[in-house]
Amino acid sequence: MDRLDREILGILQQDARISYRDLGVRVGLSANATADRVRRMRRDGVIRGFTVVVDPAADTRGGLVVFIDLTLRQDTTNEEFEQQVAKLPGITEVVHVTGEYDYLVRARAADPAALDGLLRRLKRDAGVAQSSTRIALRAAGHRPAHP
């Protein structure tokens, strides 16, 4: 990765919907050269996908956006957990973290009963020993990470 790749990544983190033409103008490349660089970074795994960040208060789908801190049971491996959690509906992000918990999960649940069901399935099917759940009330702002 060179300076242009890092610049492209920074712009994509701010606006993943920008056209290759506009992105190219901002970094001083043609649309085709820009598209080639983005495709290469996707192929190489630098870019793994594009995420939409939605303010929970503005989301018209309703329901709850939750953050769940999880500790795995001693007999559960990270690989087993990650395979099982990928099968559960409503989970939008899973991050392996340092600190008191093993993982941070972001999920969507239609209502408290659906959240209860998700938590039960995490413990029963995914090897979770302990969880701590927080409900998003509103997004206070979003600042894209820079490479």
Side-chain angles (χ1 to χ4, degrees), residues 19-68:
S19 70
Y20 289 133
R21 182 183 60 79
D22 291 344
L23 182 56
V25 167
R26 290 189 52 190
V27 298
L29 294 173
S30 70
N32 286 339
T34 303
D36 288 343
R37 283 177 175 261
V38 172
R39 280 192 286 274
R40 179 183 41 77
M41 286 189 280
R42 289 192 73 179
R43 183 186 65 242
D44 293 347
V46 174
I47 298 173
R48 292 185 297 174
F50 296 93
T51 303
V52 176
V53 177
V54 178
D55 180 341
D59 191 342
T60 59
R61 293 179 293 172
L64 305 171
V65 174
V66 298
F67 298 93
I68 310 167

Side-chain angles (χ1 to χ4, degrees), residues 3 8 27 33 37 69 90 97 101 104 108 110 137 144:
R3 179 192 59 79
I8 288 169
V27 298
R37 283 177 175 261
D69 292 305
V97 295
Y101 295 96
L104 171 64
R108 173 171 293 284
L137 300 176

Side-chain angles (χ1 to χ4, degrees), residues 7 12 24 26:
E7 193 173 343
L12 287 173
R26 290 189 52 190

